């Protein structure tokens, strides 16, 4: 099992989820990732600002897609940007290996 890539931005509570590919028809952010997160995990930008919540994981097992329900006014501004999982509030969701 793959583990999340840790990015030492301000601390080790951020783990790269992937780059936002596009918005779905229902305005969810679609991200390609190498390691699927658990549904309900918080997604943030590199400044620790909440972007949204993981709503679905779908597609091939090796490189799944993640659907994130945005909590921001202009989710289209995140297309092409890398977003991260905030593990601070849900430590129990962090894969151990």
């Amino acid at each position: 099992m793959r583990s999340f890539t840790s990015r030492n931005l301000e601390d080790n509570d951020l783990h790269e989820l992937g780059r936002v590919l596009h918005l779905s028809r229902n305005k969810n952010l679609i991200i390609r990732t190498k390691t699927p997160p658990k549904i309900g995990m918080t997604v943030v930008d590199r400044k620790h600002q909440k972007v949204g919540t993981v709503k679905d994981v779908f597609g091939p097992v090796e490189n799944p897609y993640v659907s994130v329900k945005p909590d921001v006014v202009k989710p289209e501004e995140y297309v092409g940007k890398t977003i991260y999982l905030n593990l601070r509030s849900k430590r129990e969701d962090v894969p151990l290996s």
Side-chain angles (χ1 to χ4, degrees):
M1 180 175 176
R2 294 182 184 134
S3 61
F4 293 108
T5 303
S6 178
R7 295 284 182 148
N8 189 11
L9 299 174
E10 290 181 28
D11 54 41
N12 288 327
D13 292 327
L14 290 186
H15 294 274
E16 184 176 320
L17 179 60
R19 186 175 306 272
V20 178
L21 301 175
H22 60 87
L23 288 177
S24 67
R25 280 186 251 155
N26 58 356
K27 303 297 183 194
N28 285 340
L29 299 168
I30 304 300
I31 299 101
R32 191 82 183 248
T33 189
K34 293 184 189 275
T35 306
K38 290 191 177 183
I39 293 174
M41 292 186 80
T42 300
V43 177
V44 297
D45 62 16
R46 63 180 13 235
K47 296 179 182 176
H48 293 252
Q49 298 298 312
K50 185 175 181 184
V51 174
T53 305
V54 173
K55 287 299 176 190
D56 195 14
V57 178
F58 58 97
V61 174
E62 287 298 315
N63 289 304
Y65 294 93
V66 177
S67 176
V68 173
K69 181 174 175 70
D71 289 335
V72 293
V73 177
K74 296 182 180 181
E76 63 276 1
E77 291 181 356
Y78 288 90
V79 174
K81 295 185 179 176
T82 300
I83 58 176
Y84 304 84
L85 293 170
N86 180 3
L87 302 175
R88 181 177 300 163
S89 61
K90 291 200 173 192
R91 289 233 179 251
E92 68 275 6
D93 289 342
V94 179
L96 299 176
S97 58

